[in-house]
Amino acid sequence: MIKQVSKWVGVAAVALAASTSVQAQNVTLRFSNWLPPTHPMVTEMLNPWAKDVEQATEGRVKIQVLPPLGNPASHYDLVRNGVADMTIGVHSYTPERFKLTEMVELPMTAENAQVNSLAYWRTYQKYFMGKNEHAGTKLLGAWVPGSYQLWTAAKVDSLDKLDGTKIRIPGVLVERIAKLLGLVSISSTLTEAYDQISRGIIDGMFQNYTTVIDFNLARFMPNLFVLPGGFSASSQFMVVNERSWQRISEADRAAIDALSGEALVKRFSGIWQKNNMAAFDRLSAEGIKVHRIEGEQLEAMKTKLAVIEQQWLSEAKGVEAQEALNFYRAELDRVAAELGVPKD
């Protein structure tokens, strides 16, 4: 009798262990989304990627996209602290916190979003990933949505005529650029930009082409200054809470890894680049006045903005910053050649 009971206890224990193992492999990740649900980052990037994750894990890992659980600037901490499992964010929304990511915000790098993003990601992996800037989370990818150009309400033909103009800026490095250009900086997130420009709180902003279309900003800013390589760029990221990541089986983590990293960066930035090109064509057709900075004015701009690079080099502690920057700039050319496209 004792042997029979022991036998059934053993069978039950094995069954319970198997059941627990199956349950442990089925995970729903809560994704806090602060963007409008119709934004291309949601409809063209996040949602299709989430479906691919579910398919690659045979339905064991699902991503549930939720309305924002906090303001845009809080989203990294929401994931780090486990309030949400995943999110997309913008590094510069938390000034000075992600100092190494500011490398991609430097002026005059590459306007092509995919070229810039791949060069940035490869540099970040090689020089910065081990510095644990994203502690408590797993960084699934970091990219740029294209370069920032300068949009203004004032219909002027020279940057010199913008002295004192109120410009929305997304972070510290862009604020420094604005100051060097004689602009007055007003810090805000992208979701606040429409209200600010429509009410005249600001007179313009640094922004990429697609975002100007997506947030209906063009009618308030009909004047555009274009700098080769851009005045700056925005570093965007996707992270998952480390504890949430460990809840996923090893095999399913490998499947998600295959869709992340460089694959994710290339995918998302490729969509940004396609949309930017279409947006620029549309804006040009709608009568946006474009002023290209070139010739002597371009040389003067390079001289004026050179200090921005030196400041970042001095502030990027614990890394071979100059070596990383040299690698990044060389990688911009390599990636452009690899893709067979111009940088700008």
Side-chain angles (χ1 to χ4, degrees):
M1 182 69 175
I2 293 174
K3 288 182 179 179
Q4 187 72 8
V5 169
S6 298
K7 175 183 176 182
W8 285 110
V9 168
V11 170
V14 170
L16 178 62
S19 174
T20 302
S21 174
V22 170
Q23 290 176 1
Q25 292 183 28
N26 288 274
V27 177
T28 297
L29 298 172
R30 296 161 301 128
F31 193 106
S32 182
N33 172 47
W34 52 272
L35 288 159
T38 56
H39 192 280
M41 281 189 70
V42 180
T43 60
E44 298 181 38
M45 301 178 210
L46 171 58
N47 287 344
W49 184 83
K51 287 181 181 178
D52 286 350
V53 166
E54 185 172 346
Q55 182 177 1
T57 61
E58 299 178 336
R60 290 182 294 273
V61 179
K62 294 181 173 64
I63 297 174
Q64 180 186 13
V65 180
L66 302 172
L69 301 179
N71 63 50
S74 71
H75 270 64
Y76 175 78
D77 282 327
L78 288 176
V79 171
R80 188 192 64 170
N81 297 329
V83 178
D85 298 308
M86 295 183 69
T87 197
I88 282 173
V90 179
H91 284 114
S92 63
Y93 283 1
T94 48
E96 302 291 347
R97 184 170 189 170
F98 300 99
K99 180 57 64 176
L100 301 180
T101 69
E102 288 182 5
M103 179 195 71
V104 81
E105 297 178 35
L106 295 174
M108 294 175 283
T109 54
E111 189 165 4
N112 185 296
Q114 193 168 56
V115 170
N116 206 348
S117 295
L118 287 170
Y120 171 41
W121 178 247
R122 292 173 187 178
T123 305
Y124 198 91
Q125 281 191 302
K126 183 178 177 69
Y127 290 95
F128 304 150
M129 192 68 86
K131 302 307 176 182
N132 211 24
E133 277 195 304
H134 301 83
T137 72
K138 175 180 172 63
L139 179 64
L140 296 175
W143 62 92
V144 299
S147 294
Y148 283 149
Q149 302 294 1
L150 180 57
W151 304 78
T152 71
K155 296 180 180 180
V156 297
D157 58 4
S158 172
L159 288 173
D160 296 335
K161 297 178 182 178
L162 292 175
D163 192 54
T165 298
K166 295 174 293 183
I167 297 292
R168 173 256 176 186
I169 57 97
V172 172
L173 194 142
V174 181
E175 182 177 18
R176 292 175 180 174
I177 293 170
K179 185 176 181 180
L180 286 172
L181 298 178
L183 307 173
V184 176
S185 299
I186 296 180
S187 180
S188 68
T189 62
L190 183 56
T191 51
E192 299 169 307
Y194 182 90
D195 181 63
Q196 290 179 327
I197 191 68
S198 64
R199 293 171 54 199
I201 296 171
I202 58 175
D203 304 309
M205 66 184 71
F206 291 99
Q207 196 50 260
N208 64 67
Y209 307 119
T210 298
T211 300
V212 170
I213 291 284
D214 292 336
F215 283 81
N216 298 312
L217 301 169
R219 62 194 177 106
F220 302 109
M221 304 181 300
N223 210 45
L224 169 64
F225 289 92
V226 176
L227 180 66
F231 287 90
S232 186
S234 171
S235 175
Q236 301 178 343
F237 63 86
M238 183 188 286
V239 289
V240 57
N241 176 275
E242 184 59 45
R243 293 184 299 277
S244 301
W245 180 249
Q246 294 304 322
R247 285 164 44 209
I248 301 170
S249 72
E250 185 176 350
D252 287 342
R253 290 201 303 268
I256 298 170
D257 273 334
L259 294 169
S260 305
E262 183 157 324
L264 181 149
V265 171
K266 186 174 185 179
R267 176 178 183 168
F268 283 18
S269 62
I271 295 170
W272 272 114
Q273 178 59 20
K274 173 180 66 71
N275 290 349
N276 277 330
M277 293 173 68
F280 182 80
D281 290 342
R282 175 177 163 182
L283 289 164
S284 298
E286 291 177 356
I288 290 291
K289 183 65 175 177
V290 180
H291 305 280
R292 296 191 178 278
I293 301 172
E294 51 196 5
E296 292 183 3
Q297 190 178 27
L298 175 58
E299 294 307 311
M301 186 64 64
K302 289 178 180 179
T303 301
K304 182 177 289 187
L305 297 182
V307 66
I308 299 295
E309 180 177 308
Q310 295 306 313
Q311 287 173 333
W312 179 79
L313 287 170
S314 67
E315 294 170 358
K317 306 298 184 183
V319 297
E320 295 294 334
Q322 185 65 67
E323 183 179 330
L325 183 57
N326 292 345
F327 177 87
Y328 166 60
R329 292 198 182 279
E331 199 68 15
L332 290 170
D333 292 325
R334 280 193 289 268
V335 173
E338 175 184 314
L339 299 178
V341 297
K343 289 191 300 183
D344 298 313

